[in-house]
Amino acid sequence: MADQKILVALDQTSASNLAFDYALKLAQSNQSQIRLVYCLTVNPYENLGAMIDAGVGLHSSTEVQQKEEAAHLQRAQEAHMWLEQLRIAALDCGIEADFICETADPSRFICQVADDWNADLVVVGNSGKEGLKKLILGSVSQYVANHAPCKVVVVPSDHSSEVEFSTHLIS
């Protein structure tokens, strides 16, 4: 049986562009539908300077919070526009597509959406993090490959033709 429901995890990197292209080709050959998933993340250290300034009274905490909320709203709007462009590209190829954009931990959220949607396959890109960076930041693709409730394809960011398949299923 062909994979009829393909979830594509995206993060606006070249790795996720390759994952989208891979999923699109796979969906065309299997007449599948795709669901694009993008997670906005909250980086608590992004505005550390402004928070420290607010803490010592140089700016009001309300002002800092309003700026953070406005920046988050801007990122959300940009993400929705990008996802809509990808959805239209899929539709132009004859592929039924929709998308989800949430503020969440990407690793867990991708697995949860795959489970809730009863995905047959998750396609995720691998940014190629290694060593200390991978240890500290973690790897979304590795987490998804180990925890998704369905098959997972990890598309490498180095444009090689090798993809990693994972059939780890939660029991």
Side-chain angles (χ1 to χ4, degrees), residues 12-104:
Q12 291 187 310
T13 63
S14 60
S16 71
N17 292 339
L18 293 170
F20 175 74
D21 292 342
Y22 180 89
L24 201 56
K25 289 176 187 168
L26 190 61
Q28 284 177 304
S29 66
N30 292 322
Q31 297 178 335
S32 306
Q33 60 180 315
I34 62 174
R35 174 160 289 169
L36 310 171
V37 176
Y38 178 77
C39 291
L40 293 162
T41 56
V42 176
N43 182 352
Y45 305 110
E46 183 176 347
N47 293 323
L48 186 59
M51 290 188 290
I52 291 171
D53 288 350
V56 296
L58 297 176
H59 296 285
S60 74
S61 59
T62 303
E63 180 184 335
V64 171
Q65 183 178 357
Q66 287 174 342
K67 285 183 181 179
E68 287 180 17
E69 289 172 359
H72 184 75
L73 180 60
Q74 178 69 30
R75 286 193 310 269
Q77 290 171 339
E78 290 169 359
H80 276 87
M81 289 180 355
W82 175 67
L83 290 164
E84 180 62 17
Q85 290 172 347
L86 294 177
R87 187 185 75 79
I88 290 169
L91 292 173
D92 288 346
C93 293
I95 304 302
E96 181 183 334
D98 63 9
F99 65 83
I100 296 174
C101 179
E102 295 287 336
T103 301

Side-chain angles (χ1 to χ4, degrees), residues 118-133:
N118 295 317
D120 298 307
L121 177 70
V122 174
V123 177
V124 62
N126 181 344
S127 65
K129 283 186 276 193
E130 294 182 1
L132 189 58
K133 190 172 185 179

Side-chain angles (χ1 to χ4, degrees), residues 107 125-127 129 133-135 137-144:
S107 302
N126 181 344
S127 65
K129 283 186 276 193
K133 190 172 185 179
K134 183 175 181 179
L135 179 65
L137 299 175
S139 169
V140 172
S141 60
Q142 184 177 19
Y143 183 93
V144 171

